[in-house]
Amino acid sequence: MLTSFDEASARRALALAGEALEIEADAIRKLHARLGRDDSVPRAVALMLACRGRVVVSGMGKSGHIARKIAATLASTGTPALFLHPAEAAHGDLGMVTAQDVLVAISYSGESSELAVVLPAVKRMGVPVIAMTGKPASRLAQVADVHLDVSVDKEACPLNLAPTTSTTVTLALGDALAVALLELRGFKPDDFARSHPGGALGRRLLTHVRDVMRSGAAVPQVAPDALLTDALLEISHKGMGMTAIVDADGRPVGVFTDGDLRRLIEKGQHFGQLRIRDVMHLEPRRIHPDRLAVDAVAVMEEFRINQMLVTGDDGKLVGALHIHDLTRAKVI
């Protein structure tokens, strides 16, 4: 039993970790070299691309963990997929499989007894089978419509027993298939966002300016001939650190911010009868409500501003954005 972890132990740990990574990296390089030797990968991709149902991925034990991850990756990148536990399949879950599906069966030995029970029923349904094994002569490889070779020279486990290199190679090939399908389907970032609405990318790609902007009475605005003091009251009441200056047609002609006020104070400017049109910034930055909120972030960062006006197709003011609105929406 380990009782101490000294410098020599640390060096040994690093050496073992490095060796494991090199073994697995070498196995992936060899997998890459095998890709063009036959048409198995293109055939597998073609089957999944043509699938009118779902890609059902199944495996037992460690292969099952890999199968579950591959199914999740496929599903999140535009290929409807699910994981099927082979043992549960033999007790009713096989009902999840339809004749329109494709089965990806994973077993390094190719002799999984649980998959062997399921395969005859799947084949009778006419479901195409893609096998991922490390043994081309195995029963699973022989009955499959397409066999994908995930063989490795050795496991990273020093005992050459625990599935390590073999599971890494299988997972890598699963990722490769998913990426190929993603590209061939024309899957776009907004498609990815729709399947990840709760994630950061989903918020960034699904949140539009109209979803987070302030509108109606919450938008600070005054007329060009308003006194500066009235504009300051509007800024104070609306809490956005600025006010839009809007003409009689509802179109913004300028903006005045807290920063502008500080600069006036530094100059010793008297506020008395000063009109807002005399101190406002002309041609303020604006954005359309249908634009993505991340586009507003990009403009704010480029011009180092904290507020932005929102105008419609007719150029009229319909809302306003503060950087804090985008932060609260977790777009930033």
Side-chain angles (χ1 to χ4, degrees), residues 216-252:
V219 180
Q221 54 186 294
V222 296
D225 61 350
L227 291 172
L228 175 58
T229 51
D230 293 332
L232 295 181
L233 287 174
E234 183 73 354
I235 292 174
S236 178
H237 291 160
K238 300 299 173 64
M240 283 197 69
M242 70 90 188
T243 184
I245 294 85
V246 181
D247 66 17
D249 294 323
R251 294 182 175 86

Side-chain angles (χ1 to χ4, degrees), residues 263-291:
R263 283 182 284 274
L264 285 178
I265 294 173
E266 289 171 358
K267 292 178 181 179
Q269 184 78 47
H270 295 291
F271 295 169
Q273 297 301 309
L274 199 61
R275 301 287 174 177
I276 193 66
R277 62 170 173 259
D278 299 322
V279 291
M280 70 182 184
H281 275 297
L282 299 174
E283 299 183 3
R285 301 290 169 188
R286 62 192 74 189
I287 194 168
H288 194 277
D290 290 338
R291 292 279 297 278

Side-chain angles (χ1 to χ4, degrees), residues 21 49 66 84-85 90 107 116 119 121 124 152 156 158 170 188 204 217 251 258 275 311 315 332:
L21 290 174
L49 196 60
I66 299 303
L84 176 69
H85 194 294
S107 168
L119 283 172
R124 283 196 297 271
V152 299
T170 303
K188 303 298 181 185
R204 287 171 60 85
R251 294 182 175 86
D258 283 346
R275 301 287 174 177
T311 54
I332 301 176

Side-chain angles (χ1 to χ4, degrees), residues 97-243:
V97 182
T98 72
Q100 287 73 46
D101 297 335
V102 170
L103 174 68
V104 177
I106 303 175
S107 168
Y108 188 77
S109 70
E111 303 294 342
S112 167
S113 58
E114 291 84 2
L115 281 174
V117 172
V118 172
L119 283 172
V122 171
K123 296 292 283 186
R124 283 196 297 271
M125 295 168 62
V127 173
V129 176
I130 299 169
M132 299 177 73
T133 85
K135 310 293 181 182
S138 63
R139 284 186 297 170
L140 176 55
Q142 294 302 308
V143 302
D145 297 279
V146 178
H147 174 246
L148 299 175
D149 182 3
V150 292
S151 59
V152 299
D153 294 335
K154 61 179 178 179
E155 300 289 0
C157 165
L159 303 177
N160 198 32
L161 295 174
T164 45
T165 310
S166 57
T167 49
T168 298
V169 166
T170 303
L171 181 58
L173 184 54
D175 286 343
L177 295 172
V179 169
L181 287 163
L182 178 156
E183 177 71 20
L184 291 170
R185 290 185 189 280
F187 196 74
K188 303 298 181 185
D190 54 341
D191 297 315
F192 189 90
R194 277 190 283 273
S195 61
H196 297 74
L201 181 60
R203 287 191 294 272
R204 287 171 60 85
L205 294 179
L206 295 178
T207 303
H208 291 81
V209 169
R210 68 170 64 257
D211 299 324
V212 293
M213 72 182 191
R214 305 185 195 190
S215 59
V219 180
Q221 54 186 294
V222 296
D225 61 350
L227 291 172
L228 175 58
T229 51
D230 293 332
L232 295 181
L233 287 174
E234 183 73 354
I235 292 174
S236 178
H237 291 160
K238 300 299 173 64
M240 283 197 69
M242 70 90 188
T243 184

